[in-house]
Amino acid sequence: SSPDSDGCTPELEKAGLLNKTKIAEGGRKLRKNWSPSWVVLVGNSLVFFKDPKSQTPSSWKPGNSRPESSVDLRGAQLHWANNLSSKKNVFKLRTVTGNEFLLQSETDSLIKEWYNTIQNVIDRLDRE
Ligand code: I3P
């Protein structure tokens, strides 16, 4: 049988290293604090892990390490946001609860893949 034959394990869509900063919490602006984050897109959530060195796609399994934080993508909004940073390849993710994150990569193709994959999940949730 497949690893998810009971349908209870959310599908791992994507995982990788991105630069991340939270810029708002509940609509309240925060001071930027960029740091590398291991980002995992699983089911309806984007999950952030603090220690990228201990994380690899093959070692990641639900429950085997504690996420730093997690974002519910239902109703979220995604926008390219190169106007919000001196860095290149930046997009902004805004949750329904008014939390805002910037995510960034030096690699053009990589950030485009992340943008498209997250947008696809948001679109899927919008249709539900
Ligand atoms: C911030 C830091 C950030 C920078 C931000 C600065 O200074 O240099 O990297 O964001 O710019 O304010 P500090 O470390 O003193 O908080 P970017 O790298 O995204 O440009 P900003 O204030 O224009 O957002």
Side-chain angles (χ1 to χ4, degrees):
S1 68
S2 77
D4 188 30
S5 53
D6 61 359
C8 290
T9 308
E11 191 188 342
L12 175 61
E13 309 238 15
K14 195 168 177 57
L17 194 61
L18 294 175
N19 293 316
K20 184 197 79 168
T21 182
K22 195 173 187 178
I23 59 164
E25 165 89 44
R28 228 194 67 188
K29 199 168 179 284
L30 297 174
R31 185 172 175 181
K32 275 181 185 167
N33 182 21
W34 285 103
S35 63
S37 180
W38 186 260
V39 184
V40 177
L41 181 56
V42 60
N44 304 345
S45 298
L46 200 60
V47 187
F48 301 120
F49 292 86
K50 211 165 206 163
D51 180 13
K53 287 181 280 297
S54 70
Q55 305 293 332
T56 64
S58 55
S59 80
W60 188 87
K61 294 175 196 71
N64 86 343
S65 57
R66 198 161 45 88
E68 182 190 17
S69 62
S70 146
V71 168
D72 182 0
L73 293 174
R74 193 178 292 275
Q77 295 181 322
L78 198 62
H79 297 286
W80 289 110
N82 290 314
N83 57 322
L84 294 182
S85 176
S86 60
K87 302 180 194 305
K88 69 168 189 173
N89 298 336
V90 176
F91 63 72
K92 181 172 85 171
L93 178 65
R94 185 185 193 283
T95 69
V96 281
T97 56
N99 294 343
E100 297 184 353
F101 300 86
L102 299 183
L103 293 168
Q104 187 265 347
S105 169
E106 289 302 308
T107 310
D108 299 16
S109 57
L110 204 145
I111 200 72
K112 282 177 193 154
E113 275 179 30
W114 271 102
Y115 185 95
N116 291 334
T117 308
I118 294 171
Q119 188 62 62
N120 285 344
V121 172
I122 293 172
D123 290 345
R124 167 169 59 75
L125 293 169
D126 281 348
R127 287 193 304 269
E128 278 180 12

